[in-house]
Amino acid sequence: MKNIETFLSHDGKKAHSKGAVVPPIYQNSLFTMKDWDDIDKAFDDRTNNYIYSRGNNPSAKIVEEKLAMICGGDTAKLFASGMGAVSAVMLSCIEKGSHVVTIKNIYGPANNILQSYFKPKFGIEITYISGTDISEFEKAIQPNTTLIYLESPSSVILSLQDLKAVATLAKKHNIKTAIDNTWASPLFQQPLKLGIDFEIHSCSKYIGGHSDVVAGLVVGAKSDMEILFTKEFELFGAKIAPFEAWLLLRSLRTLKIRMDQHQKSGLAVADFLEKHPKIAKVNFPGLKSFPQYELAKQQMSGTTGLMSFQLKTTELEKVKTFFNGLELFQIGVSWGGHESLIYAPAISYLKELNAAQFEGLGISLGDMRISVGLEAAEDLIADLAQSLDKI
Ligand SMILES: *Cc1c(COP(=O)(O)O)cnc(C)c1O
């Protein structure tokens, strides 16, 4: 099989019992064994054998194998959520007193767990950088640095890090690297091939794609994943449920055509927004005007449907009129599903920061985040246009 979509839609001829074209859901907590020796032997290789569903389950395994393959890694494990995956990787790579280098615009809860949990509980130190220049990473590294945690493109402003350069630098210093690769999906960016150690996804976004699953994924080399399996995966127990895994297998069948559509519509919408007189700025790595467009082209093979833009107005009433005036874009958190969504980062930030503080983060009252879904791009553009006309 040469092409990803063939591999994703096919499990092999008669792969499943009785010729079922879709595998059953293995809704079981344990696996029974023939005799003493059989169960004794199973324990000798607990990372690969079916013993208890907190470790391995066939409904999860079939999806994990497909995901490992498309990410270009040895081993994949599915978690109950993206944050289950994020926290497992962080725990695997830090010790008491570790130093972590990360970027300013990582996903909020990923920053929150570092700041409000690992820092006070384990005494870890954290250095934040913009991540756009490799020299920032060089300067940030300390003797106790054990993890460089990346997200490229990052949340809200979609800034990139040079993955190959960071991986090379980290290897020289014997530091583990991890990336949240949710934005690009495994189809448009393959960080493991560039030397990154751990690839993380929230499967609640593009991999799931139907807004009906919350799940997470970690992919890495066999040696790293064996440690993560026996420690953070099995002991913390944030494993995916068989039904959720089965839904993800359903999702993988269409991953390629969905991502191609998100890419096409995302580019059309970004292009429309960029030219609109009421828009100040669009943050989207697929636009030629994006400051890191060349790096985006170099390390990603495509772009998706999540972007942010800034309205010229920062008058709260007008911002709200635009936000509430959309008919196809629904209001909600999350992204990456079939449905188009809008969210305004200021809704979160206004609760925690004053206006000057959040301007310091490069965010304004007029900032909008949209997830372009699978509706016709033409209809989405018409919806944005009619609501922009109201302000
Ligand atoms: C949603 C999200 C997560 C967390 O995933 P959950 O499945 O919601 O736990 C992590 N990283 C990014 C970039 C996300 O958008």
Side-chain angles (χ1 to χ4, degrees):
M1 264 175 264
K2 284 202 195 81
N3 295 291
I4 276 177
E5 60 268 48
T6 311
F7 174 75
L8 290 177
S9 62
H10 212 286
D11 304 334
K13 218 170 168 186
K14 299 256 158 109
H16 310 302
S17 162
K18 298 187 167 52
V21 71
V22 174
I25 304 170
Y26 287 86
Q27 190 66 40
N28 52 290
S29 61
L30 72 127
F31 302 83
T32 59
M33 312 280 168
K34 279 204 305 282
D35 53 22
W36 178 292
D37 288 344
D38 197 28
I39 194 163
D40 186 50
K41 225 172 73 210
F43 283 130
D44 290 340
D45 186 11
R46 50 186 310 133
T47 56
N48 289 305
N49 287 323
Y50 296 117
I51 300 167
Y52 185 55
S53 288
R54 177 151 46 74
N56 286 313
N57 173 280
S59 293
K61 194 88 161 179
I62 182 173
V63 185
E64 288 165 349
E65 282 172 358
K66 280 195 194 289
L67 286 166
M69 194 277 187
I70 63 169
C71 293
D74 298 333
T75 310
K77 283 309 286 177
L78 284 167
F79 288 76
S81 69
M83 279 308 292
V86 167
S87 55
V89 169
M90 286 179 174
L91 279 163
S92 189
C93 298
I94 60 173
E95 292 152 32
K96 198 166 75 179
S98 280
H99 173 241
V100 176
V101 177
T102 192
I103 55 157
K104 286 180 195 143
N105 286 84
I106 54 170
Y107 178 65
N111 182 43
N112 202 357
I113 197 172
L114 284 170
Q115 271 296 338
S116 69
Y117 196 87
F118 294 141
K119 195 165 147 183
K121 286 226 173 199
F122 300 149
I124 65 155
E125 298 174 76
I126 311 157
T127 300
Y128 296 95
I129 55 176
S130 79
T132 52
D133 194 327
I134 191 69
S135 67
E136 288 179 282
F137 288 94
E138 279 161 5
K139 279 192 216 121
I141 290 173
Q142 300 177 181
N144 60 336
T145 308
T146 59
L147 171 64
I148 298 179
Y149 185 88
L150 309 172
E151 187 181 319
S152 181
S154 70
S155 288
V156 190
I157 61 166
L158 307 181
S159 71
L160 311 185
Q161 301 100 58
D162 184 334
L163 303 185
K164 201 170 172 185
V166 175
T168 307
L169 176 72
K171 282 203 166 65
K172 219 163 64 190
H173 294 269
N174 210 12
I175 299 166
K176 289 283 179 206
T177 47
I179 183 173
D180 183 330
N181 198 32
T182 307
W183 188 89
S185 90
L187 297 191
F188 293 152
Q189 182 164 259
Q190 308 206 302
L192 300 174
K193 292 185 180 165
L194 301 173
I196 300 290
D197 296 310
F198 291 102
E199 174 174 350
I200 302 166
H201 288 270
S202 165
C203 303
S204 324
K205 315 294 161 57
Y206 288 126
I207 291 176
H210 294 65
S211 301
D212 54 11
V213 182
V214 172
L217 169 72
V218 179
V219 192
K222 191 163 175 280
S223 53
D224 288 335
M225 292 301 290
E226 253 164 27
I227 298 168
L228 188 130
F229 179 96
T230 52
K231 298 230 160 51
E232 290 76 23
F233 187 78
E234 263 199 313
L235 297 184
F236 285 86
K239 61 129 197 108
I240 196 167
F243 181 57
E244 264 70 11
W246 183 87
L247 282 172
L248 288 181
L249 182 64
R250 171 282 317 255
S251 296
L252 288 183
R253 309 299 192 194
T254 58
L255 183 63
K256 177 74 166 59
I257 53 168
R258 285 188 289 109
M259 294 320 295
D260 287 347
Q261 188 60 40
H262 286 299
Q263 164 155 251
K264 220 171 98 193
S265 300
L267 282 164
V269 169
D271 196 45
F272 162 79
L273 289 171
E274 187 176 42
K275 291 183 180 128
H276 198 285
K278 289 181 184 164
I279 305 288
K281 186 175 158 207
V282 181
N283 298 309
F284 187 63
L287 289 174
K288 286 212 173 71
S289 59
F290 186 71
Q292 295 172 295
Y293 178 71
E294 286 308 319
L295 179 61
K297 277 216 312 207
Q298 188 187 310
Q299 65 185 16
M300 295 195 284
S301 59
T303 54
T304 63
L306 185 73
M307 66 191 77
S308 63
F309 61 90
Q310 202 170 72
L311 296 170
K312 276 192 182 151
T313 181
T314 50
E315 271 178 61
L316 191 55
E317 275 319 303
K318 284 188 175 172
V319 172
K320 282 187 182 174
T321 300
F322 166 74
F323 187 81
N324 295 336
L326 291 164
E327 280 157 17
L328 279 175
F329 283 85
Q330 299 179 83
I331 296 164
V333 295
S334 197
W335 50 276
H338 56 89
E339 77 288 13
S340 291
L341 293 169
I342 185 159
Y343 184 67
I347 297 168
S348 306
Y349 287 113
L350 277 176
K351 291 193 196 300
E352 299 153 18
L353 309 170
N354 62 41
Q357 279 173 320
F358 84 69
E359 265 163 38
L361 278 175
I363 294 165
S364 92
L365 256 188
D367 278 5
M368 298 285 138
R369 185 189 78 174
I370 55 169
S371 175
V372 174
L374 298 174
E375 305 91 339
E378 197 187 353
D379 295 338
L380 295 174
I381 289 170
D383 190 31
L384 290 163
Q386 65 78 23
S387 206
L388 284 166
D389 283 346
K390 292 180 184 150
I391 61 170

